[in-house]
Amino acid sequence: MDASPARTLRTAAALGSCCLALVSGCSPFDDDAAVDASAARAAQVAAVPLGARDLQNQYQKVIKDVLPSVVQIQASSDLGSGVVYDGNGHIVTNAHVVGNEKKFKVTTANTEEPLTATLVYSYPQQDLAVIRLDRIPDGLKAATFGDTEKVQVGQITLAMGSPLGLSSSVTEGIVSATGRTVSENAAGGGTGATIPNMVQTSAAINPGNSGGALVNLDGQVIGIPTLAASDPDLGGSAAPGIGFAIPGSMVTTVADQIIKQGKVTDSGRAALGIAGRTVVDVNYQPAGVAVVTVKRGDAADKAGIRPGDIITKVGADDITTITSLAESLASDRPGEKTTVTYSRDGVGKTVDVTLGEQ
């Protein structure tokens, strides 16, 4: 016999009460299961703020570990930052921070009074320089430099330095892009250099940050903050959230040569004479360097490489990113010969190239 509407409603109400009891952890059928479920839910709720605290703790750990390796550099007419490179008192910074001067005052994390330092060598073509402390203070701590190839868009970054003279300042952002080629404005305080393969970051870069440290959450220096983008529509003032850093691999290439040889003998600036960009495959993985422009009369032009070609190999080195292309060329010198493998309209080609100079 069919149930009456009233009985159906009463049954539904009873089931609803039972479901409510189950949801609220009050099931009369399994008290232990209810307790376990309640504990699991509590743990899940607690996990959200714990994640935020973990991230905050990591920020603070990185700052505690790396900030002592970042110094303030005072020239007679300029103020900037630097990064302790080794235990022998070498500090790497931007060439535009040291300018044409030979002597500097340096304030480290462990000294109240400025120390004196002397220029080792300045390399304006890459806007890098190395100075050396005349006296090495106790507790001087060298920074650790990271692998540029592992830098990825979206990574959290911290910029450390002395913006506007505020020493030991930290700003936070992400890696916004890699492989940028940026030309400095000599009239705006830069060296006028065109610097390839820079790391773009949203971390605030202000005057005084130059020469400091762009750091990942592993506590590794992945770049030297060098300049901020300017907006011509705002009278040339800095564009918020668009800063650039010289990649760590280029910093170590140049600094190692300066320290060991007193100058740059192999800058890594052998060039194909192209402007390029990293391209990705169907799985969004780096797959080569697309040629955007070719400089007339330079290496690529003479070899028949054209805009739109995708470079996948230089010599024996696989090329997947603009970074890998720059690092491959860093081991070569202008005038040397190599082979370049590229694809054009899906057809692979290999040509001999005599490298030019950047």
Side-chain angles (χ1 to χ4, degrees):
M1 177 169 42
D2 293 337
S4 67
R7 181 169 181 175
T8 300
L9 289 174
R10 285 196 296 273
T11 301
L15 288 173
S17 299
C18 182
C19 290
L20 182 61
L22 287 171
V23 169
S24 62
C26 299
S27 169
F29 303 109
D30 192 341
D31 291 340
D32 291 339
V35 171
D36 290 344
S38 179
R41 284 193 298 274
Q44 186 177 19
V45 171
V48 176
L50 279 174
R53 284 197 296 271
D54 287 344
L55 181 59
Q56 177 176 288
N57 290 340
Q58 187 63 26
Y59 275 26
Q60 293 173 331
K61 180 181 184 301
V62 170
I63 292 169
K64 181 179 179 181
D65 288 345
V66 182
L67 199 57
S69 301
V70 181
V71 304
Q72 184 180 84
I73 300 175
Q74 177 69 61
S76 60
S77 59
D78 204 358
L79 177 71
S81 305
V83 180
V84 178
Y85 194 74
D86 59 26
N88 296 319
H90 290 107
I91 294 168
V92 65
T93 185
N94 284 132
H96 76 260
V97 171
V98 304
N100 296 320
E101 300 188 34
K102 306 295 183 183
K103 290 288 187 178
F104 313 92
K105 292 182 179 180
V106 176
T107 304
T108 71
N110 297 319
T111 56
E112 294 183 3
E113 296 296 325
L115 301 169
T116 59
T118 303
L119 178 69
V120 178
Y121 188 80
S122 178
Y123 187 61
Q125 294 92 327
Q126 192 65 41
D127 200 359
L128 288 172
V130 174
I131 65 175
R132 185 176 183 180
L133 294 171
D134 297 327
R135 178 180 67 83
I136 302 174
D138 294 336
L140 188 69
K141 181 180 179 183
T144 299
F145 282 77
D147 184 354
T148 301
E149 277 295 308
K150 296 181 180 179
V151 175
Q152 296 181 357
V153 175
Q155 278 185 292
I156 294 174
T157 58
L158 302 175
M160 303 183 186
S162 301
L164 306 177
L166 301 172
S167 61
S168 300
S169 292
V170 182
T171 56
E172 177 266 346
I174 63 169
V175 173
S176 305
T178 59
R180 297 295 197 199
T181 297
V182 180
S183 295
E184 295 183 357
N185 182 1
T191 64
T194 296
I195 307 175
N197 198 34
M198 295 191 83
V199 178
Q200 181 182 329
T201 180
S202 63
I205 305 295
N206 292 296
N209 268 122
S210 292
L214 186 68
V215 185
N216 62 21
L217 289 190
D218 291 325
Q220 300 170 331
V221 178
I222 60 173
I224 298 294
T226 299
L227 74 161
S230 60
D231 188 345
D233 292 335
L234 297 177
S237 60
I242 305 178
F244 300 95
I246 299 172
S249 61
M250 180 56 69
V251 175
T252 56
T253 293
V254 171
D256 284 346
Q257 293 177 64
I258 292 174
I259 292 169
K260 293 175 182 177
Q261 305 172 51
K263 60 181 181 179
V264 177
T265 58
D266 181 4
S267 67
R269 296 182 72 87
L272 289 172
I274 68 163
R277 61 180 178 83
T278 300
V279 295
V280 297
D281 59 20
V282 294
N283 296 316
Y284 300 100
Q285 297 301 308
V289 172
V291 178
V292 178
T293 61
V294 177
K295 186 177 180 180
R296 179 175 292 183
D298 217 325
D301 184 41
K302 291 178 179 178
I305 297 173
R306 299 289 178 259
D309 294 343
I310 299 176
I311 297 172
T312 56
K313 203 166 190 175
V314 172
D317 299 331
D318 290 329
I319 304 301
T320 57
T321 65
I322 197 76
T323 297
S324 62
L325 176 59
E327 291 183 348
S328 176
L329 294 173
S331 63
D332 298 321
R333 295 174 182 269
E336 289 185 345
K337 292 184 178 181
T338 188
T339 58
V340 173
T341 301
Y342 64 94
S343 64
R344 178 182 296 169
D345 298 326
V347 179
K349 300 175 180 289
T350 299
V351 294
D352 294 326
V353 177
T354 300
L355 294 170
E357 186 172 2
Q358 190 172 32

